[in-house]
């Protein structure tokens, strides 16, 4: 009888070595990966019966990216999340349709092996893959949350909060930026749309009139980039992983080009006022 094929994903070398060797000794054919890209490549090129992934492979929550990819490519695979948080079960309930079970660090090998064999002997019905969404759709669906989180970061920054502006005056450009970004993600044009550049220029001129400095304009943009990254991280299970990298490149290009145009317009008004 062939050995069950198991993919083990963890960024800690000591755990990869020790736990993988124990699992081999228990009769599993074990492949190991240290990063999410390695795991995705292995999932696309090999067949597995079991997946054990650390919750945080490099970054918090990366294990869900691995689980999500496995669900789409090999929906019959039994999936386990390895976590250092004993009370994680409550969080797992929300994604129980994608994860079969979890293992708490430090892993009790006997219990872990028993759990794996139990699931192998009594497999659940095939998991239905979650309907995937492009990054653009996730951003537009969470536009209000992005705006709210960005505003919180801005108001927590003493330098930016010192500028006496209403909430409406601070956030007025964010929905426009997100909508322009969504279009760029969908179409991946070589050059930004003239409409988005016009809006970016208006934003830069407005920020000059409101008393901003260029470093403050840049800081606001950094906060927006952070909130966008956090939003996408929180929705990794539903994001189309196959388009994630080009979509993230498009986001970076969009933010950079709009920031450049805003600063250019800011400097033009600054020179006129001098």
């Amino acid at each position: 009888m062939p050995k069950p094929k198991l993919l083990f994903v963890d960024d800690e070398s000591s755990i990869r070595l020790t736990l993988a060797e124990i699992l081999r000794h228990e009769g599993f054919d074990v492949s190991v990966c240290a990063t999410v890209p390695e795991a995705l490549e292995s999932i696309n090129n090999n067949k597995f019966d079991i997946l054990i992934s650390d919750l945080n492979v490099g970054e918090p929550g990366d294990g869900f990216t691995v689980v999500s990819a496995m669900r789409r490519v090999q929906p019959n695979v039994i999936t386990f999340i390895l976590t250092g948080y004993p009370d994680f079960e409550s969080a797992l309930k929300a994604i129980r349709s994608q994860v079969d079970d979890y293992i708490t660090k430090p892993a009790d090998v006997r219990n872990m092996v028993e759990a794996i064999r139990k699931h192998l002997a009594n497999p659940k019905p095939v998991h239905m893959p979650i309907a995937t969404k492009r990054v653009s759709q996730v951003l537009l669906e969470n536009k209000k949350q992005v705006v709210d989180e960005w505003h919180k970061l801005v108001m927590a920054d003493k330098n930016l909060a010192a500028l006496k502006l209403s909430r409406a005056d601070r956030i007025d450009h964010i929905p426009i930026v997100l909508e322009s970004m969504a279009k760029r993600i969908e179409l991946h044009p070589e050059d930004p749309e003239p409409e988005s550049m016009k809006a970016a220029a208006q934003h830069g001129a407005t920020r000059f009139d409101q008393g901003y400095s260029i470093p403050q304009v840049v800081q606001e943009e950094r906060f927006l980039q952070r909130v966008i990254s956090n939003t996408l991280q929180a929705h990794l299970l539903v994001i189309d992983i196959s388009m994630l990298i080009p979509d993230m490149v498009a986001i970076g290009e969009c933010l950079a080009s709009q920031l450049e145009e805003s600063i250019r317009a800011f400097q033009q008004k600054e020179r006129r006022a001098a």
Side-chain angles (χ1 to χ4, degrees):
M1 183 177 179
K3 296 179 179 180
K5 292 180 67 64
L6 186 151
L7 176 62
F8 179 46
V9 185
D10 199 301
D11 59 346
E12 294 185 38
S13 58
S14 58
I15 294 178
R16 284 200 311 276
L17 290 171
T18 56
L19 194 52
E21 194 56 40
I22 291 171
L23 290 167
R24 290 188 183 104
H25 182 73
E26 291 290 337
F28 298 97
D29 182 357
V30 182
S31 300
V32 295
C33 293
T35 66
V36 171
E38 286 179 15
L40 298 181
E41 182 179 1
S42 189
I43 288 168
N44 285 318
N45 292 288
N46 302 281
K47 294 293 183 182
F48 294 100
D49 301 298
I50 308 129
L51 166 68
I52 299 177
S53 177
D54 185 43
L55 174 62
N56 305 319
V57 188
E59 296 294 333
D62 273 355
F64 292 145
T65 303
V66 179
V67 169
S68 179
M70 183 66 89
R71 279 284 168 249
R72 294 182 190 125
V73 179
Q74 302 182 51
N76 289 298
V77 169
I78 297 165
T79 58
F80 292 81
I81 283 288
L82 186 64
T83 173
Y85 302 97
D87 60 348
F88 189 66
E89 187 168 15
S90 59
L92 265 180
K93 290 179 181 177
I95 55 166
R96 184 62 72 179
S97 62
Q98 294 299 301
V99 178
D100 288 292
D101 212 336
Y102 76 103
I103 301 165
T104 303
K105 289 182 178 180
D108 183 307
V109 176
R110 180 179 299 176
N111 290 339
M112 178 179 63
V113 172
E114 285 181 1
I116 294 171
R117 288 180 174 154
K118 177 183 176 182
H119 282 286
L120 284 172
N122 300 284
K124 294 179 181 179
V126 174
H127 294 257
M128 295 300 294
I130 291 175
T132 60
K133 302 176 182 179
R134 286 289 295 276
V135 164
S136 53
Q137 185 179 351
V138 172
L139 289 177
L140 291 178
E141 288 177 353
N142 293 275
K143 185 163 59 175
K144 183 180 183 301
Q145 178 186 340
V146 170
V147 172
D148 290 344
E149 291 301 317
W150 176 85
H151 187 255
K152 286 180 184 178
L153 288 177
V154 168
M155 296 309 295
D157 184 287
K158 292 181 180 179
N159 192 26
L160 291 172
L163 295 161
K164 301 305 180 183
L165 298 174
S166 68
R167 185 178 190 276
D169 286 338
R170 288 188 191 275
I171 69 172
D172 64 340
H173 68 294
I174 301 295
I176 298 172
V177 171
L178 294 175
E179 289 161 11
S180 299
M181 190 179 297
K183 288 181 181 179
R184 187 151 187 176
I185 290 168
E186 291 289 342
L187 303 175
H188 289 280
E190 290 294 325
D191 299 309
E193 289 186 340
E195 290 180 5
S196 67
M197 291 297 96
K198 183 179 178 180
Q202 181 61 48
H203 171 64
T206 299
R207 283 300 191 243
F208 175 82
D209 293 337
Q210 291 170 334
Y212 276 69
S213 65
I214 288 178
Q216 288 172 319
V217 174
V218 173
Q219 182 63 19
E220 283 191 338
E221 192 81 5
R222 286 177 177 159
F223 284 151
L224 180 58
Q225 188 170 17
R226 184 189 304 175
V227 172
I228 288 171
S229 297
N230 291 342
T231 301
L232 298 181
Q233 179 73 31
H235 293 82
L236 276 178
L237 273 178
V238 299
I239 290 175
D240 182 355
I241 299 299
S242 66
M243 292 299 295
L244 180 58
I245 293 177
D247 286 353
M248 291 300 293
V249 170
I251 287 175
E253 290 176 347
C254 184
L255 288 173
S257 61
Q258 292 193 356
L259 178 61
E260 289 171 6
E261 191 66 18
S262 293
I263 290 175
R264 190 176 295 115
F266 186 103
Q267 290 174 324
Q268 287 175 353
K269 292 211 71 172
E270 193 174 39
R271 284 193 293 269
R272 293 194 195 108

